[in-house]
Amino acid sequence: MDKISCTKVGVLPGESEDKPSGKMGYKVGSRGIKCEKLRNLIIRAVKTHKSNSSNPASSTPGESRFWAIGITLLLIVMWTCGMQSMAFQNAKWPAATLKFIHPAVIIPERVYRNNGYLTVSSNGGLNQMRSGISDMVTIARFLNLTLVVPELDNTSFWQDNSQFGDIFDVDHFIDSLKEEVLPIFRKFEIVHFLKTDARLSNNELPENVQKMRCKVYYEGLRFTPHLEKIGKKVVSILRKKGPFLALHLRYEKDMLAFTGCTKELNKQEVDELTSMRYACPWWKEKKINSTQKREEGLCPMTPGEVGLALKALDIDPEIQVYIAAGEIYGKEKRLEGLRAFYPNLVKKETLLPSSDLGEIKDHSNRMAAVDYIVSLASDIFAPSYDGNMAKVVEGHRRYLGYKTTIRLDRKVLVTLIDKYKSGKMRWDEFSDSVKKAHRGLMGGPVERLKIPGKPKEEDYFYLDPEECLPKMYPSSQGKRSDKKKH
């Protein structure tokens, strides 16, 4: 078996897959505390900040520090409480009948007496860190703290030593958020977060807070010019040949080892992945029933299953399919099932000469940034498994005007696929059933699913940042049929 480092959870760069990623920076007990009461307190605190901002001299430095620490603790406890309680829309909307009116992400001018500085150590892969940093800037603003340019996670599974400036455009980050971000470290009045993910709840926050998250994520965090150039070159090559679908194919070795999903694998492969899972202390679940997990929709779909699902959805077999992923387990042989339906498979490594990728080949987060750029620009985006990249790209595509994203319903699909393969369904029955199951799962306008007290079961904010999204105004001839599926 390949020698691996298991210092932290292993998933594709940009993913967290809700796996434990190390010890939390804070431990806050929530016994006997009602989350609703805490939520009301934090909202009241933000409103108090707003009303006092016009008179910054009204509070003393000591009072300001008190509020900074107090609100920080409230934010953390709120999340802890929540965790513990835990078309077919090819939606053929006529272009002429819809107007996209993108609400400007306008945040009230920040007038404050600086309470100090917030330093953060990001954790996880690219997309987990990106959304976490957006939340940290938001927290800094409403605690009257100035954020120091964040540190990235250099100790995770992929051993990527990239710094913030290797992936994100630092000058743009500071200029676009100049009231919120400090480029250097100052050793006084400091609040430090050891982890950045999941620090803000998805819902029940003031609209200004949600819009601030959008401003940072969609406007402040831009990739470096070098990475943008590589990503745009890939897009240009693809565009010259026609439309393309970006497939976030979660079928890498570490993902299969972690999930314990073994569909279509031989005994040697199963043994190898099992050994890898038992060797990683951060992966808490060791004994896994692969069949049961697959039936519950908790396994990555195999390349062949993805191909069958896309064909059933009437995706053009001639479309280019860009594989936005790391190395597929089993390499080209494992892709044969997908290639049988979609022969035009490509990836950045085959579209570009090795010299164009250069040093980024050895940095998984930078390679993930290129995949993000291409996925955002694609005609269709389809992830084969849930994860941070799947969620944030879908949300970003919504932000750009509800660009088509196929959210494959794995639980429904594996049942239908098994029936079709066993001869219990004709092709037309299978295809009709797949289409029916995916109405409303194509990235269109929907209301974010909210489940009070169960943040892991509700929609992630960055999957559907509705407070920041374009408003759809159908004419009398246009009717939207994209409904939320629970």
Side-chain angles (χ1 to χ4, degrees), residues 246-305:
L247 175 61
H248 187 40
L249 186 59
R250 297 311 322 273
Y251 213 74
E252 303 89 357
K253 183 177 182 179
D254 59 293
M255 171 52 63
L256 295 176
F258 173 79
T259 59
C261 297
T262 59
K263 179 71 173 177
E264 298 181 9
L265 301 183
N266 60 41
K267 185 179 184 303
Q268 181 180 350
E269 291 169 328
V270 172
D271 290 344
E272 179 183 29
L273 297 174
T274 301
S275 297
M276 183 178 180
R277 181 168 67 256
Y278 274 85
C280 288
W282 290 107
W283 298 352
K284 301 303 181 184
E285 189 179 12
K286 303 299 184 182
K287 190 174 181 179
I288 297 174
N289 185 325
S290 176
T291 301
Q292 179 181 343
K293 199 164 189 177
R294 178 176 177 271
E295 290 172 351
E296 293 172 352
L298 300 177
C299 281
M301 296 181 68
T302 69
E305 289 173 336

Side-chain angles (χ1 to χ4, degrees), residues 98 362 373 376 452 466-467 479:
L98 295 172
D362 300 321
I373 293 166
L376 206 59
E466 58 188 37
E467 294 86 349
K479 185 177 182 180

Side-chain angles (χ1 to χ4, degrees), residues 286-404:
K286 303 299 184 182
K287 190 174 181 179
I288 297 174
N289 185 325
S290 176
T291 301
Q292 179 181 343
K293 199 164 189 177
R294 178 176 177 271
E295 290 172 351
E296 293 172 352
L298 300 177
C299 281
M301 296 181 68
T302 69
E305 289 173 336
V306 173
L308 195 59
L310 294 178
K311 177 178 172 63
L313 289 169
D314 290 340
I315 302 300
D316 186 350
E318 298 302 315
I319 196 170
Q320 301 171 93
V321 176
Y322 174 86
I323 306 296
E327 184 176 293
I328 302 303
Y329 187 57
K331 301 184 178 179
E332 289 301 311
K333 180 174 175 38
R334 193 71 66 195
L335 290 173
E336 289 176 359
L338 174 61
R339 199 182 298 277
F341 297 103
Y342 294 92
N344 297 323
L345 299 183
V346 296
K347 50 187 178 180
K348 52 190 174 296
E349 294 87 349
T350 60
L351 292 172
L352 298 175
S354 180
S355 58
D356 279 4
L357 292 174
E359 64 178 21
I360 79 166
K361 293 196 300 291
D362 300 321
H363 296 85
S364 54
N365 284 325
R366 300 185 212 180
M367 293 285 274
V370 174
D371 282 341
Y372 189 102
I373 293 166
V374 178
S375 296
L376 206 59
S378 64
D379 297 281
I380 303 172
F381 174 65
S384 65
Y385 187 69
D386 290 336
N388 268 339
M389 181 167 175
K391 294 170 185 174
V392 299
V393 170
E394 179 174 348
H396 203 157
R397 288 170 67 86
R398 278 193 167 99
Y399 184 83
L400 295 177
Y402 302 110
K403 300 178 70 174
T404 301

Side-chain angles (χ1 to χ4, degrees), residues 35-274:
C35 292
E36 186 64 32
K37 183 176 180 180
L38 290 175
R39 184 181 296 113
N40 291 337
L41 283 172
I42 187 63
I43 293 174
R44 191 181 309 154
V46 173
K47 290 180 177 177
T48 300
H49 157 79
K50 184 177 179 181
S51 61
N52 287 343
S53 63
S54 59
N55 185 14
S58 63
S59 60
T60 67
E63 290 172 332
S64 297
R65 284 193 293 272
F66 172 81
W67 273 108
I69 296 170
I71 296 176
T72 301
L73 290 174
L74 286 174
L75 285 167
I76 298 168
V77 174
M78 281 176 65
W79 177 251
T80 304
C81 282
M83 292 295 290
Q84 289 177 341
S85 63
M86 304 261 219
F88 149 97
Q89 183 235 22
N90 242 357
K92 294 185 169 57
W93 299 317
T97 67
L98 295 172
K99 292 183 179 179
F100 291 93
I101 302 177
H102 208 299
V105 182
I106 299 174
I107 310 298
E109 182 180 357
R110 188 179 189 189
V111 181
Y112 71 109
R113 174 181 288 175
N114 189 7
N115 291 332
Y117 301 89
L118 175 63
T119 65
V120 298
S121 300
S122 302
N123 61 298
L126 173 68
N127 296 293
Q128 184 178 351
M129 290 192 290
R130 182 173 177 167
S131 56
I133 290 168
S134 300
D135 286 355
M136 289 297 102
V137 176
T138 302
I139 288 174
R141 179 185 180 87
F142 289 98
L143 296 183
N144 278 341
L145 298 170
T146 298
L147 180 76
V148 177
V149 171
E151 300 174 357
L152 299 189
D153 187 348
N154 297 147
T155 61
S156 62
F157 184 86
W158 314 278
Q159 305 281 300
D160 188 335
N161 63 359
S162 298
Q163 301 302 311
F164 188 91
D166 296 322
I167 297 176
F168 299 108
D169 187 330
V170 178
D171 291 338
H172 176 77
F173 181 65
I174 295 171
D175 289 344
S176 62
L177 302 165
K178 55 188 174 184
E179 295 182 343
E180 330 295 341
V181 180
L182 186 72
I184 59 174
F185 183 82
R186 299 192 181 181
K187 297 185 178 179
F188 60 92
E189 304 288 355
I190 299 237
V191 176
H192 181 70
F193 276 82
L194 299 180
K195 305 290 179 182
T196 59
D197 61 321
R199 292 304 197 184
L200 284 177
S201 63
N202 297 311
N203 303 296
E204 305 301 328
L205 291 176
E207 188 169 304
N208 281 350
V209 174
Q210 304 290 54
K211 287 191 173 183
M212 186 67 200
R213 298 167 88 174
C214 293
K215 179 179 179 181
V216 182
Y217 193 94
Y218 302 120
E219 298 179 17
L221 285 168
R222 179 188 295 173
F223 295 122
T224 63
H226 179 58
L227 292 175
E228 290 281 350
K229 181 179 179 180
I230 295 174
K232 289 176 180 177
K233 183 171 183 179
V234 172
V235 172
S236 176
I237 293 171
L238 289 165
R239 283 270 173 253
K240 289 177 181 177
K241 297 182 180 180
F244 69 96
L245 179 151
L247 175 61
H248 187 40
L249 186 59
R250 297 311 322 273
Y251 213 74
E252 303 89 357
K253 183 177 182 179
D254 59 293
M255 171 52 63
L256 295 176
F258 173 79
T259 59
C261 297
T262 59
K263 179 71 173 177
E264 298 181 9
L265 301 183
N266 60 41
K267 185 179 184 303
Q268 181 180 350
E269 291 169 328
V270 172
D271 290 344
E272 179 183 29
L273 297 174
T274 301

